[in-house]
Amino acid sequence: QVLLVETGGGSVQPGGSLTLSCVASEFCKSMAWFRQFPGKEREGVAALVGVSGTLYPNHLMDRFAISRGNATNEMVLQVNNLKPEDTAVYFCAANRDRASYSLQRDSWSYWGQGIQVTVSS
């Protein structure tokens, strides 16, 4: 069982930036971020495979950036030019041994508890 802990959420004004961090209990080959709006399905916003393999939905790739953190079991999501429609609960996901170039929810085995991001003036 891989445990994932997300930090860095909170309230931000439109146009601001935010960094979300996810720390895993062990190294995971693939890690990803999803978000969930109230009453909606969870959607993938970024995936990271290995050190630098990344995947984003086309409509977010100019504002979202995923990378490994300072520790090998840490993953970071940088979000710039935040918009009110980015308000959601953000979830970290991981696969320990699989290289997962996927933003589909059922491709991921381990999940964090989620962290709220609110974009409002």
Side-chain angles (χ1 to χ4, degrees):
Q1 182 75 12
V2 176
L3 301 178
L4 303 173
V5 178
E6 304 110 331
T7 58
S11 295
V12 184
Q13 292 190 339
S17 298
L18 195 68
T19 301
L20 300 179
S21 174
C22 176
V23 176
S25 55
E26 58 187 280
F27 176 78
C28 294
K29 183 173 287 187
S30 306
M31 300 185 78
W33 284 98
F34 284 70
R35 65 184 181 184
Q36 190 166 16
F37 306 111
K40 301 292 186 181
E41 292 292 318
R42 206 167 289 185
E43 65 175 34
V45 300
L48 176 70
V49 179
V51 175
S52 59
T54 58
L55 178 67
Y56 306 93
N58 287 339
H59 67 289
L60 296 179
M61 62 188 305
D62 60 336
R63 299 191 297 117
F64 285 59
I66 191 171
S67 62
R68 292 284 179 182
N70 292 328
T72 56
N73 59 337
E74 181 184 16
M75 178 263 293
V76 173
L77 181 71
Q78 175 74 30
V79 186
N80 299 316
N81 189 24
L82 279 155
K83 304 176 180 181
E85 52 264 40
D86 293 318
T87 296
V89 179
Y90 285 71
F91 294 87
C92 177
N95 286 326
R96 181 167 47 200
D97 302 315
R98 286 185 287 126
S100 301
Y101 282 101
S102 173
L103 295 174
Q104 300 299 313
R105 178 176 180 174
D106 58 8
S107 295
W108 299 88
S109 300
Y110 303 104
W111 292 87
Q113 293 297 307
I115 193 167
Q116 178 71 44
V117 172
T118 301
V119 185
S120 173
S121 56

